[in-house]
Amino acid sequence: MSLEWLVAWSWSLDGLRDCIATGIQSVRDWDTAAVATVACLLVLFVWYCYHVGREQPRPYASVNSLMQGADANGLQNGYVYCQSPECVRCTHNEGLNQKLYHNLQEYAKRYSWSGMGRIHKGIREQGRYLNSRPSIQKPEVFFLPDLPTTPYFSRDAQRHDVELLERSFPTILGEFEALYKGFSNCSLPQGWKMNSTPSGEWVTFYLVNQGVCVPRNCRKCPRTYRLLGSLRTCIGNNVFGNACISVLSPGTVITEHYGPTNIRIRCHLGLKTPSGCELVVGGEPQCWAEGRCLLFDDSFLHTAFHEGAAEDGPRVVFMVDLWHPNVAAAERQALDFIFAPGR
């Protein structure tokens, strides 16, 4: 029995020795260039994993998550005023394109260049787009090329969100009426913002202002705020996204102006719409209707006015910014990153 065991053990050692010898010979037979290539690729892979792993992803404020605790810095009367000279939304100089391109590169490095062709083209030629646009449509900050352009959009452009907003008309109107009871002739209630107009009064009550939630205001309109989280196309994570109640008193005229970008559709849900009120976008007039949504591209030259009598009361709309239907999902994600608040 011992002899058989020794023979088997000797055979096993011989097999192991042959296996090791074969492996060593295979390594010797490798081409030197191939070995160097594999080694370089391995080093590059290890470096990439280290470089990506040490970077922390940028956190985003979500429209769906209610900000708690103290109000954010930079809030005056419930309205966000930019405190940074580096703010993309408020920067109007030659360095803007470089800043946008840097943000796009950072996004592509973390995620992917896939689907970024139109954004890359827009940033690369932004100066030409903004300077050569016809006077009827001239976004002040960012123009995304190859988007269908029209002053007004049909309800089908964002049907789900339009129908949800219209079904919620009684809820939004009720919360506005509760807010409006706080108005007096001598002071503007906290949370409201007075806007500059050549005549009359235009005040707004922001729930989301330039992509930033206004906590105190949201707590005063909790059901309207929760509604924003149910909208599929609400812009809530970049500086082009807003949601507010907009009030025009009789005799008010808003100066003609352009919005900052063409990537969004501005939606007005009529809450109170007396006669003599009109919205003009790209030279085309439209009237609001209570409980109905009006969709338009505010990168077109536009104005609004209330020519009704004092006894008619104010014109009131709930305004929310939605994505342009032709901006793809990958582009939306990238634009949220590039134009994130404070970036």
Side-chain angles (χ1 to χ4, degrees), residues 6-7 38 41 56 115 125 131 185 188 203 212 219 225 232 265 278 286 299-300 309 312 316 333:
L6 287 174
V7 170
V38 171
L41 290 175
Q56 296 299 319
E125 303 184 30
N131 294 328
N185 294 328
L188 188 68
V203 295
V212 178
R219 288 193 288 269
Y225 177 75
R232 294 176 180 173
I265 296 178
E278 203 168 83
Q286 290 277 357
S299 67
F300 282 80
D312 293 336
V316 185
Q333 180 178 330

mmCIF file of all heavy atoms in Angstrom, residues 6-7 38 41 56 115 125 131 185 188 203 212 219 225 232 265 278 286 299-300 309 312 316 333:
data_model
loop_
_atom_site.group_PDB
_atom_site.id
_atom_site.type_symbol
_atom_site.label_atom_id
_atom_site.label_comp_id
_atom_site.label_asym_id
_atom_site.label_seq_id
_atom_site.Cartn_x
_atom_site.Cartn_y
_atom_site.Cartn_z
ATOM 1 N N LEU A 6 3.502 6.023 -2.844
ATOM 2 C CA LEU A 6 4.701 6.761 -3.244
ATOM 3 C C LEU A 6 4.762 6.946 -4.755
ATOM 4 O O LEU A 6 5.143 8.012 -5.252
ATOM 5 C CB LEU A 6 5.952 6.013 -2.760
ATOM 6 C CG LEU A 6 6.226 6.074 -1.252
ATOM 7 C CD1 LEU A 6 7.417 5.161 -0.904
ATOM 8 C CD2 LEU A 6 6.539 7.514 -0.837
ATOM 9 N N VAL A 7 4.368 5.902 -5.510
ATOM 10 C CA VAL A 7 4.375 6.013 -6.977
ATOM 11 C C VAL A 7 3.378 7.095 -7.436
ATOM 12 O O VAL A 7 3.671 7.926 -8.297
ATOM 13 C CB VAL A 7 4.033 4.648 -7.608
ATOM 14 C CG1 VAL A 7 3.806 4.806 -9.109
ATOM 15 C CG2 VAL A 7 5.148 3.641 -7.340
ATOM 16 N N VAL A 38 -0.332 45.257 -23.042
ATOM 17 C CA VAL A 38 -1.223 44.823 -21.967
ATOM 18 C C VAL A 38 -0.898 45.553 -20.670
ATOM 19 O O VAL A 38 -1.799 45.989 -19.927
ATOM 20 C CB VAL A 38 -1.124 43.298 -21.783
ATOM 21 C CG1 VAL A 38 -1.879 42.863 -20.535
ATOM 22 C CG2 VAL A 38 -1.660 42.576 -23.008
ATOM 23 N N LEU A 41 -2.203 49.161 -20.841
ATOM 24 C CA LEU A 41 -3.658 49.204 -20.698
ATOM 25 C C LEU A 41 -4.069 48.978 -19.251
ATOM 26 O O LEU A 41 -5.007 49.617 -18.751
ATOM 27 C CB LEU A 41 -4.305 48.156 -21.599
ATOM 28 C CG LEU A 41 -4.226 48.424 -23.110
ATOM 29 C CD1 LEU A 41 -4.788 47.242 -23.886
ATOM 30 C CD2 LEU A 41 -5.000 49.692 -23.459
ATOM 31 N N GLN A 56 -16.370 63.157 -6.277
ATOM 32 C CA GLN A 56 -17.698 62.992 -5.704
ATOM 33 C C GLN A 56 -18.734 63.579 -6.647
ATOM 34 O O GLN A 56 -18.559 64.690 -7.140
ATOM 35 C CB GLN A 56 -17.790 63.719 -4.350
ATOM 36 C CG GLN A 56 -16.853 63.143 -3.303
ATOM 37 C CD GLN A 56 -17.160 61.690 -3.014
ATOM 38 O OE1 GLN A 56 -18.324 61.312 -2.928
ATOM 39 N NE2 GLN A 56 -16.132 60.874 -2.871
ATOM 40 N N GLY A 115 -25.178 61.364 -27.192
ATOM 41 C CA GLY A 115 -26.343 62.237 -27.238
ATOM 42 C C GLY A 115 -26.056 63.692 -26.974
ATOM 43 O O GLY A 115 -26.972 64.504 -26.869
ATOM 44 N N GLU A 125 -21.053 77.255 -30.826
ATOM 45 C CA GLU A 125 -21.436 78.369 -31.692
ATOM 46 C C GLU A 125 -22.453 79.287 -31.017
ATOM 47 O O GLU A 125 -23.224 79.974 -31.681
ATOM 48 C CB GLU A 125 -22.003 77.824 -33.005
ATOM 49 C CG GLU A 125 -21.043 76.901 -33.743
ATOM 50 C CD GLU A 125 -21.589 76.447 -35.090
ATOM 51 O OE1 GLU A 125 -22.355 77.212 -35.706
ATOM 52 O OE2 GLU A 125 -21.254 75.335 -35.502
ATOM 53 N N ASN A 131 -26.225 86.195 -31.408
ATOM 54 C CA ASN A 131 -26.063 87.481 -32.093
ATOM 55 C C ASN A 131 -26.791 87.547 -33.433
ATOM 56 O O ASN A 131 -27.156 88.633 -33.886
ATOM 57 C CB ASN A 131 -24.574 87.782 -32.310
ATOM 58 C CG ASN A 131 -23.838 87.995 -30.995
ATOM 59 O OD1 ASN A 131 -24.417 88.488 -30.035
ATOM 60 N ND2 ASN A 131 -22.567 87.618 -30.950
ATOM 61 N N ASN A 185 -52.960 97.602 1.510
ATOM 62 C CA ASN A 185 -52.570 98.741 0.680
ATOM 63 C C ASN A 185 -51.213 99.319 1.067
ATOM 64 O O ASN A 185 -50.643 100.117 0.322
ATOM 65 C CB ASN A 185 -53.626 99.852 0.772
ATOM 66 C CG ASN A 185 -54.953 99.419 0.168
ATOM 67 O OD1 ASN A 185 -54.980 98.639 -0.775
ATOM 68 N ND2 ASN A 185 -56.050 99.921 0.738
ATOM 69 N N LEU A 188 -46.217 94.798 1.165
ATOM 70 C CA LEU A 188 -46.221 93.566 0.381
ATOM 71 C C LEU A 188 -45.963 92.403 1.330
ATOM 72 O O LEU A 188 -44.942 92.388 2.034
ATOM 73 C CB LEU A 188 -45.118 93.629 -0.690
ATOM 74 C CG LEU A 188 -45.086 92.504 -1.725
ATOM 75 C CD1 LEU A 188 -46.309 92.582 -2.634
ATOM 76 C CD2 LEU A 188 -43.811 92.597 -2.573
ATOM 77 N N VAL A 203 -46.765 91.326 -9.302
ATOM 78 C CA VAL A 203 -46.132 90.646 -8.181
ATOM 79 C C VAL A 203 -46.156 89.140 -8.416
ATOM 80 O O VAL A 203 -47.055 88.608 -9.088
ATOM 81 C CB VAL A 203 -46.822 90.979 -6.843
ATOM 82 C CG1 VAL A 203 -46.658 92.450 -6.513
ATOM 83 C CG2 VAL A 203 -48.293 90.598 -6.864
ATOM 84 N N VAL A 212 -34.329 76.660 -7.569
ATOM 85 C CA VAL A 212 -34.153 76.581 -6.118
ATOM 86 C C VAL A 212 -35.518 76.677 -5.438
ATOM 87 O O VAL A 212 -36.284 77.612 -5.683
ATOM 88 C CB VAL A 212 -33.233 77.714 -5.605
ATOM 89 C CG1 VAL A 212 -33.100 77.644 -4.086
ATOM 90 C CG2 VAL A 212 -31.866 77.628 -6.267
ATOM 91 N N ARG A 219 -44.273 75.999 2.076
ATOM 92 C CA ARG A 219 -45.063 75.602 3.243
ATOM 93 C C ARG A 219 -46.426 76.295 3.260
ATOM 94 O O ARG A 219 -47.367 75.792 3.867
ATOM 95 C CB ARG A 219 -44.283 75.908 4.527
ATOM 96 C CG ARG A 219 -43.104 74.975 4.763
ATOM 97 C CD ARG A 219 -42.572 75.107 6.176
ATOM 98 N NE ARG A 219 -41.868 76.370 6.374
ATOM 99 C CZ ARG A 219 -40.561 76.540 6.194
ATOM 100 N NH1 ARG A 219 -39.815 75.525 5.775
ATOM 101 N NH2 ARG A 219 -40.003 77.697 6.431
ATOM 102 N N TYR A 225 -47.363 72.708 -4.095
ATOM 103 C CA TYR A 225 -45.968 72.280 -4.156
ATOM 104 C C TYR A 225 -45.862 70.780 -4.426
ATOM 105 O O TYR A 225 -45.038 70.341 -5.241
ATOM 106 C CB TYR A 225 -45.247 72.634 -2.855
ATOM 107 C CG TYR A 225 -43.811 72.152 -2.841
ATOM 108 C CD1 TYR A 225 -42.826 72.797 -3.581
ATOM 109 C CD2 TYR A 225 -43.462 71.027 -2.112
ATOM 110 C CE1 TYR A 225 -41.521 72.340 -3.583
ATOM 111 C CE2 TYR A 225 -42.157 70.571 -2.108
ATOM 112 C CZ TYR A 225 -41.192 71.229 -2.846
ATOM 113 O OH TYR A 225 -39.908 70.756 -2.857
ATOM 114 N N ARG A 232 -44.408 65.351 -14.980
ATOM 115 C CA ARG A 232 -43.342 64.563 -15.589
ATOM 116 C C ARG A 232 -42.261 65.429 -16.226
ATOM 117 O O ARG A 232 -41.118 64.998 -16.363
ATOM 118 C CB ARG A 232 -43.930 63.633 -16.651
ATOM 119 C CG ARG A 232 -44.850 62.556 -16.103
ATOM 120 C CD ARG A 232 -45.476 61.744 -17.228
ATOM 121 N NE ARG A 232 -46.368 60.708 -16.718
ATOM 122 C CZ ARG A 232 -47.132 59.948 -17.483
ATOM 123 N NH1 ARG A 232 -47.113 60.099 -18.802
ATOM 124 N NH2 ARG A 232 -47.922 59.030 -16.940
ATOM 125 N N ILE A 265 -40.741 75.186 -22.188
ATOM 126 C CA ILE A 265 -42.053 75.735 -22.518
ATOM 127 C C ILE A 265 -42.601 76.352 -21.239
ATOM 128 O O ILE A 265 -42.602 75.706 -20.187
ATOM 129 C CB ILE A 265 -43.025 74.645 -23.002
ATOM 130 C CG1 ILE A 265 -42.553 74.030 -24.303
ATOM 131 C CG2 ILE A 265 -44.422 75.218 -23.177
ATOM 132 C CD1 ILE A 265 -43.454 72.908 -24.786
ATOM 133 N N GLU A 278 -54.314 90.240 -21.856
ATOM 134 C CA GLU A 278 -53.799 89.615 -23.066
ATOM 135 C C GLU A 278 -52.315 89.294 -22.939
ATOM 136 O O GLU A 278 -51.564 90.032 -22.296
ATOM 137 C CB GLU A 278 -54.020 90.552 -24.253
ATOM 138 C CG GLU A 278 -54.049 89.859 -25.611
ATOM 139 C CD GLU A 278 -54.565 90.785 -26.703
ATOM 140 O OE1 GLU A 278 -53.761 91.578 -27.223
ATOM 141 O OE2 GLU A 278 -55.782 90.721 -27.014
ATOM 142 N N GLN A 286 -52.890 86.218 -27.458
ATOM 143 C CA GLN A 286 -53.734 85.145 -26.925
ATOM 144 C C GLN A 286 -54.322 85.622 -25.609
ATOM 145 O O GLN A 286 -53.750 86.477 -24.917
ATOM 146 C CB GLN A 286 -52.921 83.866 -26.684
ATOM 147 C CG GLN A 286 -52.456 83.163 -27.938
ATOM 148 C CD GLN A 286 -53.529 82.253 -28.522
ATOM 149 O OE1 GLN A 286 -54.617 82.116 -27.945
ATOM 150 N NE2 GLN A 286 -53.246 81.637 -29.658
ATOM 151 N N SER A 299 -38.731 82.421 -25.119
ATOM 152 C CA SER A 299 -37.532 82.976 -25.756
ATOM 153 C C SER A 299 -37.915 83.893 -26.916
ATOM 154 O O SER A 299 -37.076 84.623 -27.444
ATOM 155 C CB SER A 299 -36.600 81.860 -26.242
ATOM 156 O OG SER A 299 -37.184 81.119 -27.304
ATOM 157 N N PHE A 300 -39.193 83.854 -27.327
ATOM 158 C CA PHE A 300 -39.718 84.834 -28.276
ATOM 159 C C PHE A 300 -39.991 86.141 -27.532
ATOM 160 O O PHE A 300 -40.292 86.144 -26.334
ATOM 161 C CB PHE A 300 -41.019 84.332 -28.905
ATOM 162 C CG PHE A 300 -40.838 83.306 -29.986
ATOM 163 C CD1 PHE A 300 -40.597 81.977 -29.679
ATOM 164 C CD2 PHE A 300 -40.903 83.673 -31.328
ATOM 165 C CE1 PHE A 300 -40.434 81.023 -30.673
ATOM 166 C CE2 PHE A 300 -40.748 82.729 -32.338
ATOM 167 C CZ PHE A 300 -40.504 81.409 -32.011
ATOM 168 N N ALA A 309 -60.841 97.214 -15.873
ATOM 169 C CA ALA A 309 -61.145 98.213 -14.853
ATOM 170 C C ALA A 309 -60.731 97.715 -13.479
ATOM 171 O O ALA A 309 -60.533 96.510 -13.258
ATOM 172 C CB ALA A 309 -62.647 98.521 -14.875
ATOM 173 N N ASP A 312 -62.594 94.921 -11.888
ATOM 174 C CA ASP A 312 -62.441 93.587 -12.475
ATOM 175 C C ASP A 312 -61.506 92.701 -11.666
ATOM 176 O O ASP A 312 -61.545 91.477 -11.780
ATOM 177 C CB ASP A 312 -61.910 93.688 -13.911
ATOM 178 C CG ASP A 312 -62.910 94.330 -14.858
ATOM 179 O OD1 ASP A 312 -64.109 94.268 -14.551
ATOM 180 O OD2 ASP A 312 -62.482 94.873 -15.891
ATOM 181 N N VAL A 316 -54.610 86.553 -12.622
ATOM 182 C CA VAL A 316 -53.760 85.639 -11.843
ATOM 183 C C VAL A 316 -53.541 84.358 -12.639
ATOM 184 O O VAL A 316 -54.504 83.757 -13.134
ATOM 185 C CB VAL A 316 -54.402 85.303 -10.481
ATOM 186 C CG1 VAL A 316 -53.436 84.459 -9.647
ATOM 187 C CG2 VAL A 316 -54.810 86.564 -9.736
ATOM 188 N N GLN A 333 -30.719 65.602 -18.866
ATOM 189 C CA GLN A 333 -29.820 65.275 -17.764
ATOM 190 C C GLN A 333 -28.557 66.121 -17.832
ATOM 191 O O GLN A 333 -28.087 66.653 -16.812
ATOM 192 C CB GLN A 333 -29.468 63.792 -17.803
ATOM 193 C CG GLN A 333 -28.529 63.356 -16.677
ATOM 194 C CD GLN A 333 -28.228 61.863 -16.713
ATOM 195 O OE1 GLN A 333 -29.053 61.076 -17.158
ATOM 196 N NE2 GLN A 333 -27.058 61.484 -16.250
#
